[in-house]
Amino acid sequence: MDEIDKAVQKVVEREALKAKKAGISETELEKIIGNAITKAIAELSKAVFSDCKKRLPEMISEYAELESGFRERNYQRWKDGFDLLQMLIVTSQETGEAINIAEREKAYRTQDWKLEALINIHARSVLVAREIFSLMKNGFPDGALGRWRTLHELSVIALFLSQHQKIVSRRYIAHRHIEAFKAAKQYREHQKRANLKAPRDKEFEEISQINDLVVAEFGKEIARDWGWAKPELKGSPNFSELEKSVRMDHWRPRYKWACAE
């Protein structure tokens, strides 16, 4: 980076000297220098990229060694906590798998929406917990805290569903189709600017029709954010209200902290 700074500085000095000899105004000088710097940076970027590609094997080997050493020291320092967390994750995963194998077919047959929803939330929670574990072991605590935010949300939702009738879980599952429709509309809106492949009209129409069926069954309120939680919550449901209803609102300070990361 020092070489780039020096090269840019040389460009500025060269153009400034030319401008002084030619008697160019300060305004014109700024334009000339700006254009010269833009051109120089583009050329230097190509040179830097080419040099980095030549040194790629050496660079990767060097950083792999540094990262490996850090991970080993990090694990040794927090070994007790890491081992206990991994034990908890593995135990939770194995328990969830056992329940899924034993009860999933029955839940589907009897339309036990609560068990269906909780099994899905548990599977997502295990995945998020594994991500948190990986981030912490590799030295990314802020990233782990961000993923904990998702884990907290899943925990609150799971508690809320477990404490209410099956119809609430049914609404929760159905609400996924609402979110899918919103995502499809957003995708279509930004597909050109985001350089995304246009979705097929047939696929969009199918998503739209399912969305309409869900709204027809549960009412317009289901289309709102957290609308699936009504009528168990008064007013306009939100996550904060869910936390309070399951007495998990004491985690709010940590949750806000995680949101700020």
Side-chain angles (χ1 to χ4, degrees):
M1 293 300 106
D2 287 341
E3 292 179 2
I4 294 178
D5 290 339
K6 290 177 181 178
V8 171
Q9 184 63 33
K10 284 183 179 180
V11 170
V12 173
E13 291 174 355
R14 184 181 69 243
E15 296 301 324
L17 183 60
K18 287 181 181 179
K20 185 177 181 180
K21 290 180 179 180
I24 296 174
S25 67
E26 187 174 335
T27 302
E28 285 298 316
L29 175 60
E30 288 180 358
K31 291 181 180 179
I32 292 171
I33 290 177
N35 291 334
I37 289 176
T38 300
K39 183 178 179 181
I41 289 176
E43 293 174 353
L44 286 167
S45 297
K46 292 179 181 178
V48 170
F49 179 71
S50 178
D51 180 61
C52 287
K53 283 194 71 175
K54 290 178 182 177
R55 298 190 299 109
L56 186 59
E58 176 188 350
M59 186 188 301
I60 290 177
S61 177
E62 178 183 344
Y63 274 86
E65 185 177 348
L66 289 172
E67 290 177 349
S68 178
F70 170 80
R71 286 194 296 269
E72 180 61 28
R73 293 191 300 275
N74 190 44
Y75 174 72
Q76 290 302 324
R77 181 178 183 181
W78 302 105
K79 183 179 184 304
D80 291 344
F82 282 149
D83 289 350
L84 286 173
L85 177 57
Q86 188 164 30
M87 179 187 73
L88 176 62
I89 293 172
V90 171
T91 302
S92 180
Q93 180 174 339
E94 291 178 347
T95 302
E97 288 174 349
I99 293 174
N100 183 50
I101 292 171
E103 302 293 338
R104 187 66 173 272
E105 185 179 343
K106 179 182 177 182
Y108 179 79
R109 189 173 63 253
T110 61
Q111 294 188 332
D112 188 343
W113 305 116
K114 182 182 292 190
L115 183 58
E116 177 73 17
L118 292 176
I119 286 176
N120 276 277
I121 291 174
H122 178 268
R124 288 182 60 197
S125 299
V126 169
L127 176 61
V128 173
R130 291 175 61 187
E131 292 171 346
I132 292 170
F133 181 66
S134 179
L135 286 165
M136 289 196 300
K137 283 189 70 177
N138 284 279
F140 300 103
D142 290 342
L145 184 60
R147 295 308 289 146
W148 170 85
R149 178 182 61 205
T150 300
L151 188 61
H152 173 65
E153 291 169 353
L154 292 170
S155 299
V156 169
I157 293 171
L159 283 170
F160 186 83
L161 296 180
S162 68
Q163 294 174 10
H164 293 93
Q165 296 180 0
K166 293 179 182 179
I167 186 59
V168 181
S169 295
R170 169 76 174 117
R171 290 169 64 92
Y172 171 76
I173 293 172
H175 193 264
R176 296 176 188 171
H177 298 296
I178 300 292
E179 293 300 320
F181 179 60
K182 289 180 180 178
K185 287 199 300 181
Q186 191 176 66
Y187 187 104
R188 271 197 161 190
E189 180 184 352
H190 300 291
Q191 67 185 45
K192 290 184 179 179
R193 288 174 58 197
N195 195 26
L196 297 169
K197 183 179 179 181
R200 297 176 184 173
D201 291 338
K202 183 180 179 181
E203 293 174 341
F204 183 81
E205 185 61 29
E206 288 175 352
I207 295 173
S208 178
Q209 288 176 358
I210 295 173
N211 174 81
D212 293 343
L213 289 173
V214 171
V215 173
E217 180 178 353
F218 297 105
K220 292 182 179 180
E221 65 183 19
I222 193 72
R224 299 173 184 170
D225 291 339
W226 303 98
W228 58 267
K230 293 202 70 169
E232 301 299 337
L233 294 179
K234 297 179 181 179
S236 299
N238 55 55
F239 183 64
S240 179
E241 293 301 317
L242 258 71
E243 282 182 317
K244 291 177 183 177
S245 71
V246 296
R247 297 181 60 80
M248 288 283 282
D249 50 310
H250 60 290
W251 286 96
R252 172 61 38 171
R254 290 184 174 88
Y255 181 77
K256 294 295 290 184
W257 178 22
C259 289
E261 292 300 327

